[in-house]
Amino acid sequence: MNQTASALETLRRVPLFADLSASELEYLAQRAIARRCDAGEMVFSEAEPCRGLYIVQSGQVKVFKTSPDGREQVLLIAGPGSTVAELPVFDGGPYPASGSAITEAAVLEVRKDDVRQLCLDHPEVALKLLRVVGARLRRLVAMVEELSFTTVRQRLAALLLREAESRGRATPQGVEFDLPWTHQELASQIGTVRELVSRNLSRFQSTGVIRVEGRKILVTDRKALEEESQSA
């Protein structure tokens, strides 16, 4: 499959562009810039001028902020079919955060001018983009609330519950899932440091709430984990 055909196939699967005609999708596909990124490679960097938005074709891309002392706060993890970096396409500013590949990833860059023209020609695309940006804003508000008003233990328990819900497999012992991140990557998602993630995972394990084998997590007492996510 050549580059344009691959881009066209990706665009067809993105809900933002579902209402476009075949010729309009073809136009975008021909102008989109395809990139392959190694794990850890930057897709875009905070404060650099916005070139356009990105569509994840394969792999995963994280969007994150970095503090002056080098700590990361992950804002979003995007998988295939997701778009990232929409906001600066419209406000004229630079990228407000950075994006890098977590795994090997393929992304499509849709240039800023093409996105703006698309929204002028198809207001329904602009409305869909507003819904995406609105959902991201709600998630960021919820993240600020979590970081401001909950403990590391609560945030870690809540993250494990979400992963059990979305990835879990029922077993006679409980719900099992594979954790796709290192302790450092977990820390970056819940706004803490690796040592506290390791310490709280050990605490959950010692009290019989979970079992940890490498990156495999078995939630043996879901009710207790829910209580951990709510207790002060």
Side-chain angles (χ1 to χ4, degrees):
M1 186 183 294
N2 64 36
Q3 180 174 309
T4 299
S6 175
L8 187 58
E9 185 63 27
T10 296
L11 291 168
R12 283 196 184 107
R13 296 198 301 266
V14 177
L16 281 178
F17 307 127
D19 298 324
L20 299 186
S21 68
S23 61
E24 288 164 335
L25 285 171
E26 179 78 21
Y27 174 81
L28 274 184
Q30 289 174 348
R31 296 169 66 83
I33 301 167
R35 285 179 55 187
R36 291 202 166 273
C37 303
D38 295 328
E41 184 176 343
M42 298 299 293
V43 180
F44 55 92
S45 296
E46 181 177 351
E48 73 179 5
C50 173
R51 297 179 298 275
L53 62 77
Y54 294 87
I55 302 166
V56 183
Q57 289 184 285
S58 64
Q60 290 186 315
V61 171
K62 68 176 178 180
V63 179
F64 63 96
K65 295 280 288 185
T66 306
S67 71
D69 64 1
R71 278 180 55 185
E72 280 186 9
Q73 174 63 57
V74 174
L75 307 177
L76 170 72
I77 294 178
S82 299
T83 59
V84 294
E86 305 93 349
L87 179 62
V89 167
F90 299 103
D91 74 2
Y95 291 114
S98 299
S100 69
I102 297 176
T103 61
E104 288 187 7
V107 299
L108 278 181
E109 178 187 310
V110 182
R111 292 189 297 187
K112 177 171 60 177
D113 290 344
D114 291 333
V115 177
R116 287 178 172 176
Q117 189 60 52
L118 188 63
C119 289
L120 290 172
D121 294 340
H122 297 275
E124 69 275 11
V125 173
L127 289 173
K128 288 179 179 179
L129 270 169
L130 277 174
R131 283 197 290 272
V132 170
V133 173
R136 297 267 168 82
L137 178 58
R138 287 183 181 275
R139 174 68 190 106
L140 289 175
V141 169
M143 183 180 294
V144 169
E145 183 178 10
E146 285 182 358
L147 292 173
S148 301
F149 304 125
T150 63
T151 65
V152 170
R153 187 173 82 247
Q154 288 174 300
R155 297 198 295 274
L156 180 59
L159 183 148
L160 294 176
L161 286 168
R162 289 194 297 269
E163 291 303 304
E165 183 68 28
S166 62
R167 302 173 186 269
R169 305 174 293 275
T171 74
Q173 294 79 35
V175 178
E176 182 182 81
F177 61 94
D178 296 316
L179 197 63
W181 309 294
T182 65
H183 288 189
Q184 181 58 59
E185 289 166 338
L186 270 176
S188 295
Q189 289 192 63
I190 63 173
T192 187
V193 293
R194 179 182 56 79
E195 292 77 11
L196 285 179
V197 166
S198 300
R199 188 182 307 163
N200 280 281
L201 284 174
S202 296
R203 181 182 182 277
F204 291 159
Q205 186 162 222
S206 67
T207 55
V209 176
I210 64 172
R211 265 191 263 159
V212 182
E213 295 179 10
R215 291 200 183 185
K216 195 178 296 295
I217 305 288
L218 178 69
V219 179
T220 53
D221 190 339
R222 186 186 181 94
K223 184 178 179 181
L225 191 60
E226 287 173 347
E227 290 173 354
E228 289 282 8
S229 72
Q230 296 163 5
S231 62

